[in-house]
Structure formats: C-alpha cells, structure tokens
Amino acid sequence: MNGRDGSKEASIQRGDRSFLIHPDVARHDFGNDPFAGSHGALDHYLGAGILYYALGYLSRSQVSICIGSGGGFVPSLMRRAQLDIGIDPSVTMLIDADIPDLAFGSPHQPGGWLTTENTFLQRESDILVLPMLSRDAAKILTTEGIGIDYLHIDGDHSRTGVLADFKAYAPLLTQQGMITLHDYRLPSVSEAVREILESYPGWEHLTFPEVGTGTILLRRALPPDVPRQPQNWTEFTDKGRKTTLAQEELQSCITEYKRKSRFTHWQYLTTSAYRLRYVLAMEFIDQTDCTVVEVGGYPNTVVRHLQQASVVHLVEPYAPQEYVAEVEALAAEAGTTLFLHQTNLADSNFDSSCLGAFNLVLLGLDISPGCETREDYEQTLVALLRLISSANRVALEIPDRAPSKMTWTLISEAFHPTLQLDVTLDYGHDPVADAYYVKDNRSLRRLILFSLEDSPCPTTERIRSLVHETADALWKIHIKLNEPHNYAYCIGTTIDFTSEGNADGYKAQGWVGAEKDHSWMIGDESVLFLSFDEKSMPSIPSVALEMDLKPLLAPGLLERQRVTVTINNFPFFSLIVTEPGTININIPTDILRGQQPIKLLLQHPDARRPCDINPESTDRKLLSVAVRKLVFKNLQQITENHDI
C-alpha cells in the first residue's frame, strides 16, 4: 500500500489485534500540535510523546506537572495516562507564564495552546493551568503540601532557568518521582544538566538526544530493597493523596503573579555584565550632593552605584516588597534620602516640577509597558520630554528595539542634545547570553550620556508635532504586536520582503526590519508562518518554493552562507549560498496540508556582524542572508507554461 509520503510500504497484517494507541487519536489529539515535531513526533507517530505517556502510566502518577508548553503536547499526554488507567484522585498541571523571551515559543504563537485554532483548553479542560512563573508556582505547591510524581521541565531554556526549576521542584518529588527535560540538544540546557549531575551524584539519567530536539530523563537512584508497587486495585493509588489547591487563595495568587511575570523576567539585567551600564553612567551622573531621578530601573537600582548624590527619586510602576526592602537598605547604608514613587511616568501623582535641580537616569528605556491606548503613549511621551527638559544631565540607554529607538529619535529631534558619550554594548558573545539565553536584539544596548546645556530651545508647536507622530508610530506597533494573525496564503502569491512589501504579515522571530530592497535574517534562525488556502493547493505531489536571496559575504573572510529549510520541524533542504540569486526547492504538498499555519524555519549558522568583516561598517547586528521575495509555485502551471 502507499505510505503517507507517496512511497510503497509493506502491508502489515494486524489480524484481530486492535491498536494499543489508535493512529486517529494520536494524529488528532497530539500529532497536529505544531510543536510536536520538536519531540520527534510525526503524524500519528508520537516520538518522545510515548515516553511522557509511559512514565506517567508506569509510575501511576497522581500528580503530573509540566513547566512550559507551546501547544499542550506534553501535558495532554500526561493527563491521558492518568485517564487511561483511571487514577483517582489525580491532577495534571500546566505552569506557563507565557514569556517567549525565556523559551522557544509562546502559547500565543500560531498553533499555541492559547490560540483559537488549538483545542487544548477545550479538550483538556480538567488540566489545571497556573499562568505564573514556575518559581512562584513552586511556592504554592510547597505551601499546599503537593508532592509530584512526574515533572516535565520545558520553560525557561537558559542555563540558570533550568537549574532554578530543578532546584525548586526536585524537593517536591515523591520518593520514586521522575523528571524529563526537553530541548537537551540546546547548549544551555545540556550545560545545566551537566551541572545537575555533578552536583547531585545520587541521580540517574537516560538521554534521548536523537529524538526531536532531545529529551533527558532524571530520577533519584532507588535502594535495592525498594518495595514493589501494590498489585491490587484496592491499594493501586493513594486514595488520601492531596491533589487539589485551595481555589480562593489560588485565584488571588494567579492575579498577582500574572502581573509580576510582566516584570520579573528581566533578571539577566541584574548580572555584573549588564550592571556595567550603570558603572559607565555614574561618572557623568553622580555629582556631589546632587539629586538623581531614575525611571523604570527594576530589577536594578541606581542607588546601588551612587556614591556622592544625596537624594534619589525612583519612579517604579512595579516595586515588589523584596525590591523595596533592598533599595531602602542600600539607601540607608549610603546615607541617601530615598523617595519611591510607585507609579507610571505619566501618572498625575508624580510631579517633576517639585524636584529642583536633578540628573536623570533612563536605562533600558521602553515606554510601552503600561500603555494600552494611543493616548497613553502620547501622555507618557509628553511626561518624558518634560522630565528630560528639566534635567541637568541625562543617562539614557536603549535596547535594539523599535519602540525604544523611536523614543530616542523623538528626544534627539526635539532637543538636539549635546552628547558626552554614545557607545553600544554587545552582550551577544558574553557568557550571560548563554546563561540567560539573551542572544536577540536585547543583547545590543546603546548608552547615551547628554545634557541640554547648549541645545536650542524647541518650539511648542514642534514638540507637539513630534510627539503626535511618535505616538502614532508606537501605537501602530502596539496594534501589530497584539492583533491576531491568520497568515493567510494562496499558492502563487509572492511574499515581498522589501519596505513596501507584505512580508511583515508572515514574519515571526529572526528578522530585521525591512529595508528598501530586502529584509535581513538575523541570528541563527528565522521563522515564517503561513496558513495555506486549501482551494489554492494543487493536486500534484509537490510545489516549488522559490526564494530570492542575497548572502552577507566578505572575500577571504566569509565566502558562503549555509541555509537549512525546515517545514513543521522536518528538514527538507540544505543549501550553500555564495552569491545573490534565486533558489528553487520542491516541497511535498502533503506537508502543507492539515492543521494551519505551517512553520517555515530557515536556519543560518554563519551569521556575522558586518562591522567584524568590513572596517567601514558600524552595523553590529548578526546578519546572514537577505531575502527579497519568497513564493510557493504550482509546478503544474509552470510545466504547462513552459510547454506553451
């Protein structure tokens, strides 16, 4: 008979033997998950999913917990094992703070468990979802006395994140509890596992690096005389086992932790590497008996670095108790008078006109948190300009992100400040990049020190016009980031990556903003999502993927760019690009059918910074290949046109 890929395969005689795992169930409930391929799954083949199911099944897990999930693949299998056995009482929990910076995906990405096209929440309605940081969930579980039989770690993929999850949850495991960790092939995860095994010699492990993106199983070594599991239904499970959480207290915690998670994932900023930004700014900002105002410093604080200033005002929209206690202790130790304003910059409760003379610190400037309307953006920009115009000196630092760069452009055009220092710090190659998995444009930080001493005074009309334009631009970005995508695509439609093109509707991570003639792929990989219109899909076995590419090259230094094309986690083609041109790849139409959207992953390991290979360039972004256009073509129509 014919296989799914069109090839011939031997007929399998089942006789009267029923499916133990029915292919239709495996395909519908698990195989269609867009993230299933990372677990080695394919169609009705579950890959490492059978391991997750078997561990819950074998251990008779009454409490299974999954930290982080893209589409719900793992928690669904955990719960299915409990249901198939009929374990009662039992619970499966999914802990997910929905912070894509810390992992490889978000439940809001196409096909994610929080999207309308994913049926996880409806199908698995008895799975308890804890939308919070894993360390906060661990506190709740500890307080409630919940023991864990089976734990899957797939959340924060940084080395420190994996270690933190292991250390927080290992004490909660039952005597025979087990842990699986996903993405073992990732260096940050494998490094964390190595440290775990070195620090906890009493743990056994079994690795499956060849399956998907790799999975490792960890378990405490059991004594030889460990008692057997009961072999009767009366004692099959612990009927008195606690598997529930107090709902009223839980909802209160969820509300607080959801708010907290918006701020507390910036912990990489507290490392000594990122605190260098403060060190560089202090010589300019810290003056004898001066007043310093800092806006949005959390989780850092300028108080830690000041030695001469006598008064500090901190404007912090989020200031948890432990942060307040830390800042107050630092100020008391230094003899600094501290005023903490727990408010947004534009809030009427903060009046900068009463501050007198002051220096201003704005490190990591991003006004978008807290702005939910266009009016919010405009009011915040007005308040920001008013604050800057009153400051003697300003230390401002921006990450390489559009909202921050737009805000700086507004400041620059409004005041034409006198710059004392303008330097870009690249943390992409610092050890902190691997430890916290910060390798995107967050790792490029531009530090600018300036004053308005000799700057011309802008007119009110000019300021009003600039603020209006910037607020409009920031609001458009806000809408784009929050609007649902359908990624609709018809065979034959050209995706244009120029500044006037339509590619932004398909781009996910790994792209630089479109330029006049193309868009650059940045870092190690770039992603597109496309929802194929079934009516436009030809009946022939394959279509042609055509891409117009321009590689970043430098004679004698960088002679090629390697690119691997992967669709829905299946590598289809690898090529070496040595000159600008068009490439064509045949793609089986079967892989483009089914659950939409499909994920088109372009991996490019030879990315380099132009400034490293061209002394005349100041571009520090990790670029690889520029794309001008991309189109899936109907091979049948191409052949017919050729025949004519």
Side-chain angles (χ1 to χ4, degrees):
M1 63 181 179
N2 288 331
R4 290 187 59 81
D5 60 355
S7 62
K8 293 285 185 178
E9 61 181 29
S11 177
I12 301 175
Q13 302 299 323
R14 298 191 58 88
D16 295 331
R17 293 166 292 186
S18 299
F19 287 104
L20 184 62
I21 301 174
H22 200 283
D24 290 343
V25 175
R27 181 182 303 115
H28 179 269
D29 290 357
F30 309 107
N32 285 332
D33 186 314
F35 302 90
S38 65
H39 300 279
L42 172 64
D43 192 53
H44 65 279
Y45 171 68
L46 292 177
I50 196 63
L51 174 66
Y52 311 141
Y53 176 89
L55 291 176
Y57 194 99
L58 183 65
S59 66
R60 307 178 185 180
S61 176
Q62 292 185 251
V63 178
S64 297
I65 293 182
C66 179
I67 300 176
S69 182
F73 182 78
V74 176
S76 295
L77 286 160
M78 287 176 154
R79 185 57 182 158
R80 197 63 56 93
Q82 294 172 328
L83 295 174
D84 287 355
I85 304 172
I87 295 179
D88 183 36
S90 65
V91 67
T92 293
M93 302 183 194
L94 169 58
I95 300 167
D96 197 325
D98 185 18
I99 304 175
D101 288 345
L102 302 183
F104 284 117
S106 161
H108 285 289
Q109 281 189 351
W113 61 265
L114 280 175
T115 60
T116 55
E117 63 264 28
N118 189 305
T119 61
F120 169 78
L121 289 175
Q122 293 75 37
R123 187 186 68 242
E124 312 290 347
S125 59
D126 56 353
I127 291 179
L128 177 60
V129 178
L130 302 181
M132 60 182 67
L133 294 167
S134 56
R135 61 176 175 268
D136 293 328
K139 295 176 184 177
I140 294 176
L141 297 173
T142 301
T143 301
E144 294 279 347
I146 301 292
I148 304 171
D149 300 310
Y150 176 28
L151 173 71
H152 182 77
I153 298 177
D154 196 12
D156 184 340
H157 284 64
S158 68
R159 179 182 62 82
T160 54
V162 174
L163 287 171
D165 281 340
F166 178 85
K167 292 176 181 178
Y169 283 83
L172 298 177
L173 288 180
T174 55
Q175 181 184 9
Q176 299 172 28
M178 291 177 280
I179 301 176
T180 49
L181 295 95
H182 189 226
D183 292 310
Y184 178 65
R185 297 176 70 96
L186 184 69
S188 58
V189 176
S190 59
E191 176 66 17
V193 169
R194 184 187 64 78
E195 292 188 34
I196 290 171
L197 295 176
E198 288 179 354
S199 303
Y200 298 84
W203 285 70
E204 302 172 322
H205 69 283
L206 180 63
T207 60
F208 301 90
E210 75 280 12
V211 181
T213 53
T215 296
I216 182 170
L217 168 63
L218 298 174
R219 184 188 188 185
R220 292 189 186 93
L222 298 178
D225 60 347
V226 61
R228 289 181 57 180
Q229 292 176 324
Q231 293 296 111
N232 62 82
W233 288 113
T234 303
E235 301 176 286
F236 194 81
T237 58
D238 180 358
K239 299 299 183 182
R241 179 79 175 274
K242 183 171 184 180
T243 61
T244 60
L245 301 174
Q247 287 302 306
E248 186 174 340
E249 292 82 353
L250 178 61
Q251 290 305 316
S252 175
C253 290
I254 287 175
T255 301
E256 171 59 23
Y257 287 143
K258 284 180 70 174
R259 178 172 180 267
K260 178 180 179 181
S261 67
R262 295 175 54 196
F263 299 89
T264 56
H265 65 283
W266 298 325
Q267 294 305 310
Y268 65 92
L269 295 174
T270 64
T271 61
S272 57
Y274 277 86
R275 281 179 175 165
L276 176 63
R277 304 170 301 146
Y278 280 93
V279 174
L280 293 175
M282 286 308 99
E283 184 175 350
F284 183 65
I285 291 296
D286 192 13
Q287 296 178 295
T288 304
D289 294 329
C290 73
T291 294
V292 173
V293 177
E294 180 176 35
V295 178
Y298 180 86
N300 286 310
T301 173
V302 71
V303 178
R304 181 186 306 279
H305 302 274
L306 293 171
Q307 296 182 4
Q308 303 179 65
S310 58
V311 179
V312 176
H313 289 262
L314 300 183
V315 183
E316 286 294 345
Y318 181 76
Q321 291 181 354
E322 59 270 23
Y323 176 73
V324 173
E326 177 190 13
V327 173
E328 289 178 344
L330 290 170
E333 182 180 352
T336 304
T337 302
L338 176 67
F339 296 93
L340 179 59
H341 310 270
Q342 297 188 45
T343 181
N344 292 316
L345 186 60
D347 196 298
S348 58
N349 292 328
F350 177 68
D351 184 3
S352 60
S353 64
C354 301
L355 297 177
F358 65 92
N359 294 336
L360 179 62
V361 178
L362 298 158
L363 301 193
L365 175 64
D366 182 0
I367 71 164
S368 56
C371 292
E372 301 297 337
T373 67
R374 186 204 168 280
E375 288 68 29
D376 288 343
Y377 280 100
E378 184 157 340
Q379 291 173 11
T380 303
L381 289 173
V382 169
L384 176 65
L385 294 184
R386 184 181 298 119
L387 193 61
I388 291 175
S389 68
S390 302
N392 292 338
R393 297 183 173 190
V394 181
L396 181 148
E397 181 251 14
I398 56 174
D400 188 28
R401 289 189 165 181
S404 299
K405 292 193 288 187
M406 286 181 178
T407 305
W408 165 244
T409 299
L410 166 66
I411 296 168
S412 180
E413 292 184 3
F415 298 117
H416 299 285
T418 303
L419 303 188
Q420 303 297 323
L421 179 71
D422 186 353
V423 61
T424 297
L425 305 176
D426 182 2
Y427 290 104
H429 300 285
D430 190 272
V432 72
D434 289 317
Y436 287 84
Y437 204 73
V438 183
K439 296 184 177 182
D440 54 16
N441 49 3
R442 290 174 297 160
S443 64
L444 285 178
R445 322 289 295 200
R446 184 182 177 189
L447 178 64
I448 306 168
L449 308 180
F450 65 88
S451 68
L452 304 181
E453 188 175 351
D454 299 319
S455 301
C457 183
T459 63
T460 302
E461 184 177 347
R462 174 61 174 162
I463 291 289
R464 187 180 296 113
S465 174
L466 289 171
V467 167
H468 184 83
E469 292 172 5
T470 306
D472 282 344
L474 290 174
W475 179 238
K476 287 179 181 177
I477 293 177
H478 181 102
I479 293 175
K480 183 178 178 181
L481 290 175
N482 290 278
E483 68 183 2
H485 288 278
N486 58 22
Y487 305 99
Y489 182 80
C490 292
I491 295 292
T493 301
T494 296
I495 299 178
D496 185 348
F497 288 80
T498 67
S499 57
E500 301 297 324
N502 59 345
D504 284 350
Y506 302 95
K507 291 178 182 175
Q509 67 267 24
W511 298 91
V512 181
E515 299 179 11
K516 179 181 179 181
D517 299 319
H518 50 243
S519 294
W520 282 100
M521 296 191 284
I522 188 171
D524 298 326
E525 58 185 42
S526 304
V527 175
L528 298 170
F529 285 104
L530 303 94
S531 289
F532 283 82
D533 181 2
E534 186 69 27
K535 295 179 181 179
S536 73
M537 195 74 69
S539 58
I540 56 177
S542 61
V543 295
L545 169 59
E546 181 179 292
M547 293 188 291
D548 194 343
L549 306 177
K550 176 186 175 182
L552 176 68
L553 302 173
L557 295 175
L558 185 60
E559 303 283 355
R560 66 175 189 176
Q561 288 285 345
R562 291 171 292 168
V563 178
T564 298
V565 180
T566 299
I567 296 180
N568 281 350
N569 299 303
F570 304 116
F572 271 99
F573 196 79
S574 295
L575 62 147
I576 296 176
V577 187
T578 58
E579 60 183 1
T582 302
I583 61 102
N584 286 276
I585 307 169
N586 283 358
I587 304 293
T589 51
D590 273 358
I591 200 64
L592 303 180
R593 303 182 190 274
Q595 182 167 334
Q596 301 291 332
I598 65 101
K599 178 181 179 181
L600 177 61
L601 171 66
L602 302 169
Q603 294 171 299
H604 31 84
D606 301 316
R608 297 283 294 275
R609 300 185 303 180
C611 63
D612 290 339
I613 57 178
N614 180 0
E616 296 182 0
S617 175
T618 59
D619 193 341
R620 303 177 66 85
K621 293 185 288 291
L622 278 171
L623 306 180
S624 58
V625 179
V627 183
R628 189 173 70 87
K629 68 177 182 178
L630 179 152
V631 60
F632 285 85
K633 290 187 174 181
N634 187 332
L635 285 173
Q636 188 174 15
Q637 292 179 351
I638 295 174
T639 303
E640 291 172 353
N641 293 338
H642 179 73
D643 291 341
I644 292 174

